[in-house]
Amino acid sequence: MTARTAANRIAGAPISWGVCEVSGWGYQLPAELVLREMQHLGLTATEFGPAGYLPSDPADRADLLSSYGLAAAGGFVPVVLHDPGTDPAEVVDRALDGFGEPGSAVLVLAAATGAEGYEGRPELDADGWSTLLRNLDQATARAAERGFTATLHPHVGTMVERQTEVQRVLDGGDTLLCLDTGHLLIGGTDPAELARQSPHRIGHVHLKDVSEPVAKNVAAGIISYTEGVSTRLYQPLGQGDVDVAGVVSALEAHGYQGWYVLEQDTILHTAPAGDGPVDDVQQSLRYLKGLL
């Protein structure tokens, strides 16, 4: 990736505007509005959002982003990795077909359960883990063959969520991680400690701040993940319990040159009456620029 100044490595994500791949998640704002607000904030790039949110043709997608002054930061792609009957290459190829020419866009994989949403998951045995790690290696290699960097995103309600599972991925292969400060904290991993211990394994960053009391209720199963998001699980950066400054400091000291994606899962029940989610994103952007 070409070296960029810190301020030019801040990207947005449609999920911060409530746009999600989960059916029935909430009111979905149109892409043109979201991209326009990103441009107004001065963001330089965006992730793609769920399949179908942006044009599937890579040239059309690039033209749309360019019209708002935005580059492509990457795309979040849930893929089943633990099932020996599923070939992740098909999903990876389909996603990368829309990425266009290799560049700054990062493939952000999540080890999907195969079920809709993020409210439950099976436990893997040794064979399941062997399959997951083998398929992850193959997906990473397939992305590299096409000129793209792949990362694995530990995520609530996927097969890689808890601290022990994150460590298994680190120990079981060379795939880089998408360090998502919120999902890691909910799963029991201190994101700042991970950034300090394994900065060389971080290929992409999703920055969220988290209300720890709500996160504990989600982790304990007292409320669902969706209920947590609806009750302000995620906060603007600097207003929650994640050591965001520690994460950024550790990565910058190691020479991290990847994206910092402002990515706070949000649910909209109706069209916003006022400014809507852009206000939270603006607060996070102001805080992050202060750190960088």
Side-chain angles (χ1 to χ4, degrees):
M1 182 179 293
T2 303
R4 295 185 296 264
T5 63
N8 288 331
R9 290 186 283 121
I10 303 174
I15 187 63
S16 295
W17 278 261
V19 179
C20 183
E21 72 279 358
V22 177
S23 177
W25 179 261
Y27 181 82
Q28 305 289 286
L29 291 167
E32 290 75 11
L33 172 63
V34 173
L35 298 176
R36 184 168 64 249
E37 292 191 343
M38 289 185 184
Q39 180 185 42
H40 180 73
L41 290 174
L43 296 175
T44 60
T46 181
E47 289 196 358
F48 298 135
Y53 189 63
L54 297 181
S56 58
D57 179 82
D60 292 343
R61 181 182 293 187
D63 286 346
L64 177 63
L65 295 184
S66 178
S67 70
Y68 291 96
L70 296 169
F76 176 74
V77 180
V79 57
V80 175
L81 297 170
H82 64 282
D83 180 2
T86 300
D87 183 3
E90 296 179 12
V91 178
V92 169
D93 278 338
R94 193 180 314 122
L96 292 179
D97 285 345
F99 275 40
E101 294 297 320
S104 60
V106 176
L107 179 65
V108 183
L109 300 170
T113 63
E116 176 77 11
Y118 301 109
E119 305 303 350
R121 62 186 201 139
E123 294 289 334
L124 287 184
D125 58 14
D127 288 341
W129 268 104
S130 178
T131 300
L132 186 152
L133 292 172
R134 183 173 63 253
N135 278 334
L136 179 58
D137 283 345
Q138 291 174 359
T140 301
R142 182 60 180 155
E145 288 172 4
R146 297 189 56 172
F148 294 93
T149 297
T151 62
L152 190 279
H153 183 334
H155 193 294
V156 171
T158 69
M159 309 311 297
V160 181
E161 173 183 342
R162 300 170 188 151
Q163 184 178 22
T164 54
E165 296 157 356
V166 174
Q167 194 60 50
R168 270 186 110 145
V169 170
L170 290 173
D171 294 340
D174 297 320
T175 302
L176 301 176
L177 292 181
C178 170
L179 190 155
D180 185 299
T181 55
H183 286 279
L184 285 168
L185 186 71
I186 297 167
T189 298
D190 180 339
E193 186 63 22
L194 178 61
R196 286 189 289 268
Q197 291 185 349
S198 303
H200 59 290
R201 293 296 299 274
I202 308 304
H204 199 60
V205 177
H206 285 174
L207 288 178
K208 301 173 168 71
D209 214 337
V210 174
S211 167
E212 193 163 19
V214 180
K216 287 181 177 178
N217 285 338
V218 172
I222 297 171
I223 60 175
S224 70
Y225 179 69
T226 305
E227 289 169 333
V229 175
S230 293
T231 53
R232 298 290 288 178
L233 169 63
Y234 297 120
Q235 304 287 317
L237 299 185
Q239 299 180 30
D241 298 299
V242 172
D243 182 9
V244 177
V247 168
V248 173
S249 175
L251 293 178
E252 289 298 298
H254 185 73
Y256 176 72
Q257 281 291 306
W259 293 108
Y260 291 107
V261 183
L262 301 176
E263 202 237 34
Q264 298 162 281
D265 297 16
T266 300
I267 293 175
L268 299 178
H269 299 291
T270 60
D275 289 338
V278 69
D279 183 59
D280 280 357
V281 181
Q282 186 171 41
Q283 292 181 61
S284 293
L285 178 61
R286 187 180 303 119
Y287 180 82
L288 179 57
K289 282 186 172 180
L291 297 180
L292 293 171

